[in-house]
Amino acid sequence: MAQPPQRQDDAPGDPEVARAARASRASGDRPIRLLVPVPPIVRAVLTNAQKDPSEEMHRVIDALFRKLTPERGPAEKGPYAGEVRYFERVNESPEEVRTLAEDTFVLLNRAHEALLQLMQAKQGSEQVTREVQELSAGLAELVDAAQEVARRDRGQGAAEFEWEVTDP
């Protein structure tokens, strides 16, 4: 006798996977199966670089989900804290999942942090110190502009949305 077709969201025969699927349904999560075809050229490049294509795809997709998953900022700090947390996640995320605007922000932000560390570590003449501080201020303005572009690319209300979605 023919078996009824298995629904896409039904858990496979493995009891551990089935238990995890039931637990996620009970918590309100809906498990989905994501099939990502790896083009032959990508598979060849990753294999040539001695990387497992499926593991590399999982790593990038996990990083993308981590970057896009809302996280609440520090308690009692308002929606601005949610935005700060977002930019921290962007700074930590691999470059494969960042947009051009986010990449620009990360590059400029890291350069500004390195310049500030250099200023603290080295003491020079008063004129050199003043020039480096002016350079640091100019770089800070570039970081702010890059952050504004990334914010606009992401959506102006995204930080408020993250804060509301993750409200306990």
Side-chain angles (χ1 to χ4, degrees):
M1 187 164 241
Q3 293 182 349
Q6 186 177 5
R7 288 181 27 184
Q8 181 74 16
D9 59 350
D10 282 349
D14 185 8
E16 197 169 308
V17 172
R19 186 173 32 255
R22 280 194 303 275
S24 68
R25 276 193 212 115
S27 69
D29 294 341
R30 182 169 180 212
I32 60 169
R33 184 172 297 145
L34 182 63
L35 299 175
V36 179
V38 180
I41 188 77
V42 173
R43 181 178 302 278
V45 168
L46 291 173
T47 304
N48 192 31
Q50 299 177 348
K51 295 181 179 181
D52 180 26
S54 64
E55 285 181 20
E56 194 65 16
M57 294 300 286
H58 282 289
R59 182 186 70 77
V60 171
I61 290 171
D62 285 345
L64 181 62
F65 275 111
R66 270 194 316 276
K67 184 187 104 172
L68 296 176
T69 302
E71 287 184 18
R72 188 169 174 80
E76 305 299 322
K77 299 294 184 186
Y80 178 72
E83 185 171 87
V84 169
R85 184 64 192 123
Y86 169 78
F87 281 109
E88 287 174 357
R89 286 196 319 268
V90 165
N91 212 17
E92 297 164 359
S93 65
E95 65 182 50
E96 295 95 349
V97 299
R98 292 191 301 244
T99 64
L100 179 59
E102 292 168 342
D103 256 346
T104 305
F105 164 74
V106 169
L107 176 72
L108 291 171
N109 190 43
R110 288 182 181 164
H112 186 247
E113 288 174 357
L115 183 61
L116 291 176
Q117 287 176 356
L118 183 65
M119 277 178 27
Q120 290 176 353
K122 302 213 179 225
Q123 296 295 327
S125 69
E126 202 171 298
Q127 180 184 357
V128 171
T129 303
R130 189 172 49 253
E131 289 176 1
V132 171
Q133 285 174 341
E134 289 174 12
L135 179 63
S136 176
L139 194 51
E141 289 177 14
L142 287 174
V143 170
D144 289 343
Q147 188 174 19
E148 182 57 38
V149 170
R151 185 180 297 121
R152 193 175 42 232
D153 187 39
R154 177 174 174 246
Q156 290 290 350
E160 183 75 29
F161 175 74
E162 280 198 22
W163 190 256
E164 291 170 359
V165 166
T166 58
D167 198 9

